[in-house]
Amino acid sequence: MPVTAPDLLKSCKLLPLPLRGDERGSLVPVEAGRQVPFDIRRVYTVFATKPGVLRGFHAHLATEQMAIAVAGGCTMILDDGLERRSVRLDRPDLALTIPPMIWHEMEDFTPDCVLMVLADAFYDEADYIRDYRRFLDVAGERRR
Ligand code: TYD
């Protein structure tokens, strides 16, 4: 069951991940087709982000992603072309899905933040929209 976040965009989901803990500590499994709603083709991490840095500022034409703050935290700003919402990712047992055509920006990284991102496609710059006006145009066309 997705976690409800009143401010989240409808097409993005916050999914709780299984937290396996015992007296030794904690473990969170993340499995394709189970917790992850797609086949994973790529994993990348964003870390050592300098104070005050803003990242992202793009949308993907087709790539779907899932982001997990495995350490520390950051704020994800999500925009579908109609609405803009932000959500704080700051625990390793919480995943945010970012479907295609969601403009996203990241800010307020804690110094220890390690953001792990799972993607259903290999890195391909041609899949990026990095211009916000173009994003609004494509989003509008797709809504028609
Ligand atoms: P960039 O898209 O600027 O990161 P962010 O969205 O967090 O602002 O990516 C930084 C650099 O890393 C850029 O040169 C592209 C490269 N990159 C890869 O080579 N593979 C990847 O999977 C990703 C996400 C980025």
Side-chain angles (χ1 to χ4, degrees), residues 11 14 43 53-54 77 80 87-88 99 114:
S11 55
L14 272 176
V43 179
V53 159
L54 310 173
I77 296 158
D80 62 7
V87 62
R88 185 78 183 160
V114 180

Side-chain angles (χ1 to χ4, degrees), residues 42 44 46 55-56 58 106 123 125 128 130:
R42 175 165 55 111
Y44 62 93
V46 177
R55 298 201 64 131
H58 64 252
M106 290 157 274
Y123 172 73
E125 189 59 36
Y128 280 71
R130 293 190 186 272

Side-chain angles (χ1 to χ4, degrees), residues 4 45 53 63 67 85 95 116 124 141 144:
T4 45
T45 51
V53 159
T63 301
R85 299 282 186 264
M116 180 174 77
D124 176 8
E141 281 164 23
R144 273 200 230 127

